[in-house]
Amino acid sequence: YDMNKAVTKIKSLLKEAQDIAQDELGLENIFYNERFVELFMANELGHDYGNNTQGGDAYDSNKKKPVEYKAINTRSKGKGTFQFHWLSENKINQYSQTEDMYFCIRDGVDIKEIYRVPTKDIIPHLKRKSTGNKSIHGHWGTNVNKLINELNAEKIK
């Protein structure tokens, strides 16, 4: 194989994706924190992508309420866990503004499964791991089995 040719092609395709996101969707940095995954989830769920780096990731098109997305990439983490970082009071308050949380299992760019859990069912877990103040050191993670068995997640896809 020709390494230079392959890298040049990858760069060209990523540049094209970046340009489409910016020029057609107004998304300035589609690769920041893998925001393209949130965009794909919003599209899959029929949500309005929020293009936010703080607060809800998108808006439920029917309820007009913000929603939060979490994803696991099976290519890099196997079964993995969904991560909630920086659990300060402020972060939990931001999560509390959302109505539902959606959890995605993906294989690279392909979304394989999506589960929905009402935010009110997640908040108690976050509060237990919260710092209880402005510190951002709180952390909580969960996996698909816990979502299904303990939080009664609804499988959307």
Side-chain angles (χ1 to χ4, degrees), residues 77-110:
K77 298 180 180 172
K79 294 205 179 229
T81 57
F82 301 101
Q83 300 295 316
F84 291 82
H85 298 286
W86 310 294
L87 294 176
S88 64
E89 282 181 17
N90 183 49
K91 186 70 171 180
I92 291 176
N93 286 338
Q94 288 176 348
Y95 284 136
S96 295
Q97 302 304 309
T98 66
E99 184 154 322
D100 293 309
M101 294 191 181
Y102 292 84
F103 299 85
C104 162
I105 307 291
R106 67 185 179 99
D107 177 17
V109 297
D110 296 317

Tab-separated table of all heavy atoms in Angstrom, residues 77-110:
chain	number	residue	atom	x	y	z
A	77	LYS	N	-13.142	0.592	22.792
A	77	LYS	CA	-13.379	0.306	24.207
A	77	LYS	C	-14.085	-1.016	24.457
A	77	LYS	O	-14.556	-1.253	25.544
A	77	LYS	CB	-14.196	1.436	24.827
A	77	LYS	CG	-13.497	2.767	24.779
A	77	LYS	CD	-14.344	3.840	25.407
A	77	LYS	CE	-13.609	5.161	25.328
A	77	LYS	NZ	-14.393	6.285	25.720
A	78	GLY	N	-14.217	-1.859	23.465
A	78	GLY	CA	-14.968	-3.082	23.688
A	78	GLY	C	-16.382	-2.730	24.102
A	78	GLY	O	-17.002	-1.866	23.519
A	79	LYS	N	-16.861	-3.353	25.174
A	79	LYS	CA	-18.210	-3.034	25.635
A	79	LYS	C	-18.239	-1.685	26.333
A	79	LYS	O	-19.172	-0.948	26.220
A	79	LYS	CB	-18.743	-4.135	26.528
A	79	LYS	CG	-18.932	-5.416	25.753
A	79	LYS	CD	-19.955	-6.289	26.376
A	79	LYS	CE	-20.079	-7.533	25.521
A	79	LYS	NZ	-21.391	-7.889	25.189
A	80	GLY	N	-17.202	-1.344	27.084
A	80	GLY	CA	-17.028	-0.016	27.649
A	80	GLY	C	-18.115	0.462	28.589
A	80	GLY	O	-19.045	-0.256	28.929
A	81	THR	N	-17.956	1.711	29.009
A	81	THR	CA	-18.926	2.349	29.882
A	81	THR	C	-19.219	3.756	29.380
A	81	THR	O	-18.388	4.390	28.737
A	81	THR	CB	-18.408	2.448	31.339
A	81	THR	OG1	-17.183	3.162	31.348
A	81	THR	CG2	-18.223	1.083	31.969
A	82	PHE	N	-20.401	4.210	29.701
A	82	PHE	CA	-20.809	5.587	29.412
A	82	PHE	C	-20.308	6.442	30.566
A	82	PHE	O	-20.547	6.111	31.722
A	82	PHE	CB	-22.330	5.679	29.306
A	82	PHE	CG	-22.906	4.803	28.231
A	82	PHE	CD1	-23.498	3.599	28.543
A	82	PHE	CD2	-22.853	5.192	26.906
A	82	PHE	CE1	-24.034	2.787	27.553
A	82	PHE	CE2	-23.379	4.393	25.896
A	82	PHE	CZ	-23.969	3.184	26.225
A	83	GLN	N	-19.632	7.527	30.252
A	83	GLN	CA	-18.948	8.321	31.270
A	83	GLN	C	-19.617	9.673	31.515
A	83	GLN	O	-19.997	10.356	30.574
A	83	GLN	CB	-17.503	8.564	30.833
A	83	GLN	CG	-16.705	7.291	30.626
A	83	GLN	CD	-16.507	6.523	31.911
A	83	GLN	OE1	-16.193	7.098	32.954
A	83	GLN	NE2	-16.720	5.211	31.854
A	84	PHE	N	-19.725	10.011	32.785
A	84	PHE	CA	-20.168	11.330	33.223
A	84	PHE	C	-19.033	11.914	34.044
A	84	PHE	O	-18.747	11.433	35.139
A	84	PHE	CB	-21.437	11.234	34.080
A	84	PHE	CG	-22.658	10.805	33.327
A	84	PHE	CD1	-22.899	9.457	33.072
A	84	PHE	CD2	-23.572	11.745	32.878
A	84	PHE	CE1	-24.033	9.069	32.379
A	84	PHE	CE2	-24.704	11.356	32.184
A	84	PHE	CZ	-24.933	10.015	31.932
A	85	HIS	N	-18.385	12.940	33.502
A	85	HIS	CA	-17.244	13.562	34.160
A	85	HIS	C	-17.619	14.936	34.713
A	85	HIS	O	-18.637	15.496	34.357
A	85	HIS	CB	-16.098	13.753	33.159
A	85	HIS	CG	-15.583	12.472	32.603
A	85	HIS	ND1	-14.809	11.605	33.325
A	85	HIS	CD2	-15.737	11.901	31.377
A	85	HIS	CE1	-14.502	10.562	32.573
A	85	HIS	NE2	-15.057	10.717	31.389
A	86	TRP	N	-16.734	15.465	35.549
A	86	TRP	CA	-16.834	16.842	36.041
A	86	TRP	C	-18.174	17.108	36.726
A	86	TRP	O	-18.852	18.086	36.451
A	86	TRP	CB	-16.604	17.842	34.906
A	86	TRP	CG	-15.370	17.546	34.135
A	86	TRP	CD1	-14.080	17.619	34.610
A	86	TRP	CD2	-15.277	17.109	32.781
A	86	TRP	NE1	-13.208	17.250	33.624
A	86	TRP	CE2	-13.901	16.942	32.483
A	86	TRP	CE3	-16.202	16.854	31.785
A	86	TRP	CZ2	-13.464	16.510	31.243
A	86	TRP	CZ3	-15.763	16.430	30.546
A	86	TRP	CH2	-14.407	16.266	30.296
A	87	LEU	N	-18.553	16.231	37.651
A	87	LEU	CA	-19.872	16.311	38.277
A	87	LEU	C	-19.929	17.326	39.415
A	87	LEU	O	-20.097	16.988	40.576
A	87	LEU	CB	-20.312	14.927	38.761
A	87	LEU	CG	-20.554	13.922	37.641
A	87	LEU	CD1	-20.896	12.555	38.220
A	87	LEU	CD2	-21.652	14.409	36.703
A	88	SER	N	-19.834	18.571	39.056
A	88	SER	CA	-20.033	19.666	40.002
A	88	SER	C	-21.527	19.943	40.114
A	88	SER	O	-22.333	19.393	39.356
A	88	SER	CB	-19.324	20.922	39.498
A	88	SER	OG	-19.925	21.351	38.283
A	89	GLU	N	-21.896	20.803	41.036
A	89	GLU	CA	-23.301	21.232	41.149
A	89	GLU	C	-23.791	21.804	39.822
A	89	GLU	O	-24.891	21.497	39.373
A	89	GLU	CB	-23.447	22.313	42.226
A	89	GLU	CG	-23.450	21.821	43.636
A	89	GLU	CD	-23.622	22.973	44.627
A	89	GLU	OE1	-24.059	24.071	44.222
A	89	GLU	OE2	-23.325	22.761	45.806
A	90	ASN	N	-22.967	22.635	39.209
A	90	ASN	CA	-23.342	23.279	37.955
A	90	ASN	C	-23.595	22.243	36.855
A	90	ASN	O	-24.584	22.336	36.130
A	90	ASN	CB	-22.252	24.269	37.521
A	90	ASN	CG	-22.632	25.008	36.264
A	90	ASN	OD1	-23.732	25.545	36.158
A	90	ASN	ND2	-21.724	25.031	35.301
A	91	LYS	N	-22.726	21.255	36.753
A	91	LYS	CA	-22.881	20.236	35.708
A	91	LYS	C	-24.159	19.426	35.938
A	91	LYS	O	-24.908	19.159	35.007
A	91	LYS	CB	-21.643	19.327	35.686
A	91	LYS	CG	-21.634	18.351	34.555
A	91	LYS	CD	-21.411	19.055	33.239
A	91	LYS	CE	-21.193	18.055	32.138
A	91	LYS	NZ	-20.979	18.676	30.854
A	92	ILE	N	-24.425	19.057	37.163
A	92	ILE	CA	-25.645	18.301	37.461
A	92	ILE	C	-26.876	19.157	37.194
A	92	ILE	O	-27.885	18.663	36.682
A	92	ILE	CB	-25.610	17.729	38.892
A	92	ILE	CG1	-24.532	16.635	38.949
A	92	ILE	CG2	-26.970	17.179	39.305
A	92	ILE	CD1	-24.308	16.034	40.301
A	93	ASN	N	-26.801	20.442	37.505
A	93	ASN	CA	-27.921	21.340	37.181
A	93	ASN	C	-28.144	21.390	35.673
A	93	ASN	O	-29.292	21.428	35.215
A	93	ASN	CB	-27.678	22.737	37.741
A	93	ASN	CG	-27.873	22.792	39.242
A	93	ASN	OD1	-28.547	21.952	39.819
A	93	ASN	ND2	-27.257	23.770	39.875
A	94	GLN	N	-27.068	21.410	34.894
A	94	GLN	CA	-27.207	21.395	33.431
A	94	GLN	C	-27.875	20.101	32.973
A	94	GLN	O	-28.774	20.123	32.136
A	94	GLN	CB	-25.847	21.560	32.752
A	94	GLN	CG	-25.277	22.942	32.865
A	94	GLN	CD	-23.881	23.048	32.260
A	94	GLN	OE1	-23.239	22.059	31.940
A	94	GLN	NE2	-23.421	24.269	32.109
A	95	TYR	N	-27.420	18.974	33.504
A	95	TYR	CA	-28.059	17.696	33.153
A	95	TYR	C	-29.536	17.699	33.548
A	95	TYR	O	-30.380	17.169	32.838
A	95	TYR	CB	-27.364	16.520	33.842
A	95	TYR	CG	-26.052	16.110	33.230
A	95	TYR	CD1	-24.956	15.817	34.038
A	95	TYR	CD2	-25.886	15.973	31.853
A	95	TYR	CE1	-23.746	15.414	33.495
A	95	TYR	CE2	-24.681	15.579	31.303
A	95	TYR	CZ	-23.615	15.295	32.128
A	95	TYR	OH	-22.423	14.892	31.594
A	96	SER	N	-29.856	18.310	34.692
A	96	SER	CA	-31.238	18.341	35.187
A	96	SER	C	-32.179	19.085	34.247
A	96	SER	O	-33.395	18.879	34.294
A	96	SER	CB	-31.295	18.982	36.574
A	96	SER	OG	-30.616	18.193	37.509
A	97	GLN	N	-31.641	19.935	33.395
A	97	GLN	CA	-32.465	20.672	32.432
A	97	GLN	C	-32.912	19.792	31.267
A	97	GLN	O	-33.800	20.162	30.513
A	97	GLN	CB	-31.693	21.878	31.884
A	97	GLN	CG	-31.228	22.854	32.953
A	97	GLN	CD	-32.364	23.375	33.809
A	97	GLN	OE1	-33.373	23.844	33.305
A	97	GLN	NE2	-32.213	23.269	35.121
A	98	THR	N	-32.279	18.629	31.120
A	98	THR	CA	-32.655	17.731	30.022
A	98	THR	C	-33.773	16.804	30.489
A	98	THR	O	-33.901	16.507	31.672
A	98	THR	CB	-31.454	16.892	29.536
A	98	THR	OG1	-31.041	15.994	30.563
A	98	THR	CG2	-30.288	17.786	29.121
A	99	GLU	N	-34.578	16.360	29.548
A	99	GLU	CA	-35.676	15.451	29.885
A	99	GLU	C	-35.258	13.991	29.784
A	99	GLU	O	-35.639	13.165	30.591
A	99	GLU	CB	-36.867	15.715	28.968
A	99	GLU	CG	-38.051	14.858	29.343
A	99	GLU	CD	-39.359	15.465	28.936
A	99	GLU	OE1	-39.513	16.692	29.034
A	99	GLU	OE2	-40.239	14.697	28.533
A	100	ASP	N	-34.480	13.685	28.748
A	100	ASP	CA	-34.053	12.311	28.510
A	100	ASP	C	-32.568	12.271	28.188
A	100	ASP	O	-31.997	13.243	27.686
A	100	ASP	CB	-34.808	11.709	27.315
A	100	ASP	CG	-36.290	11.527	27.589
A	100	ASP	OD1	-36.637	10.935	28.627
A	100	ASP	OD2	-37.102	11.974	26.757
A	101	MET	N	-31.972	11.108	28.453
A	101	MET	CA	-30.604	10.841	28.046
A	101	MET	C	-30.620	9.651	27.111
A	101	MET	O	-31.354	8.688	27.341
A	101	MET	CB	-29.715	10.581	29.257
A	101	MET	CG	-29.545	11.798	30.129
A	101	MET	SD	-28.256	11.531	31.360
A	101	MET	CE	-28.320	13.098	32.219
A	102	TYR	N	-29.822	9.753	26.068
A	102	TYR	CA	-29.738	8.696	25.058
A	102	TYR	C	-28.328	8.140	25.052
A	102	TYR	O	-27.349	8.897	25.063
A	102	TYR	CB	-30.105	9.247	23.674
A	102	TYR	CG	-31.557	9.616	23.575
A	102	TYR	CD1	-32.008	10.850	24.006
A	102	TYR	CD2	-32.490	8.708	23.078
A	102	TYR	CE1	-33.354	11.188	23.932
A	102	TYR	CE2	-33.839	9.038	23.006
A	102	TYR	CZ	-34.252	10.278	23.436
A	102	TYR	OH	-35.587	10.605	23.365
A	103	PHE	N	-28.231	6.819	25.045
A	103	PHE	CA	-26.966	6.121	25.132
A	103	PHE	C	-26.781	5.280	23.878
A	103	PHE	O	-27.624	4.447	23.555
A	103	PHE	CB	-26.962	5.231	26.379
A	103	PHE	CG	-27.112	6.020	27.649
A	103	PHE	CD1	-28.372	6.370	28.115
A	103	PHE	CD2	-26.000	6.415	28.367
A	103	PHE	CE1	-28.524	7.101	29.282
A	103	PHE	CE2	-26.133	7.146	29.542
A	103	PHE	CZ	-27.394	7.489	29.993
A	104	CYS	N	-25.678	5.516	23.192
A	104	CYS	CA	-25.437	4.932	21.881
A	104	CYS	C	-24.258	3.963	21.931
A	104	CYS	O	-23.216	4.273	22.500
A	104	CYS	CB	-25.133	6.085	20.914
A	104	CYS	SG	-24.327	5.636	19.395
A	105	ILE	N	-24.441	2.816	21.311
A	105	ILE	CA	-23.347	1.887	21.048
A	105	ILE	C	-23.014	2.066	19.572
A	105	ILE	O	-23.904	1.948	18.725
A	105	ILE	CB	-23.767	0.420	21.282
A	105	ILE	CG1	-24.365	0.216	22.664
A	105	ILE	CG2	-22.595	-0.517	21.010
A	105	ILE	CD1	-23.418	0.343	23.795
A	106	ARG	N	-21.754	2.391	19.283
A	106	ARG	CA	-21.379	2.603	17.888
A	106	ARG	C	-20.145	1.794	17.538
A	106	ARG	O	-19.352	1.438	18.408
A	106	ARG	CB	-21.150	4.079	17.615
A	106	ARG	CG	-19.960	4.675	18.325
A	106	ARG	CD	-19.871	6.183	18.084
A	106	ARG	NE	-18.761	6.785	18.768
A	106	ARG	CZ	-17.598	7.086	18.214
A	106	ARG	NH1	-17.398	6.844	16.926
A	106	ARG	NH2	-16.624	7.636	18.907
A	107	ASP	N	-20.008	1.542	16.269
A	107	ASP	CA	-18.827	0.899	15.720
A	107	ASP	C	-18.221	1.916	14.763
A	107	ASP	O	-18.674	2.044	13.625
A	107	ASP	CB	-19.218	-0.393	14.995
A	107	ASP	CG	-18.035	-1.077	14.340
A	107	ASP	OD1	-16.881	-0.765	14.684
A	107	ASP	OD2	-18.260	-1.931	13.457
A	108	GLY	N	-17.269	2.692	15.259
A	108	GLY	CA	-16.722	3.782	14.454
A	108	GLY	C	-17.798	4.825	14.218
A	108	GLY	O	-18.329	5.406	15.157
A	109	VAL	N	-18.164	5.038	12.960
A	109	VAL	CA	-19.193	6.030	12.638
A	109	VAL	C	-20.585	5.406	12.528
A	109	VAL	O	-21.565	6.116	12.333
A	109	VAL	CB	-18.865	6.813	11.339
A	109	VAL	CG1	-17.579	7.614	11.512
A	109	VAL	CG2	-18.787	5.891	10.147
A	110	ASP	N	-20.676	4.086	12.655
A	110	ASP	CA	-21.971	3.401	12.509
A	110	ASP	C	-22.644	3.207	13.856
A	110	ASP	O	-22.091	2.559	14.754
A	110	ASP	CB	-21.776	2.034	11.840
A	110	ASP	CG	-21.252	2.158	10.428
A	110	ASP	OD1	-21.748	3.035	9.681
A	110	ASP	OD2	-20.349	1.385	10.058
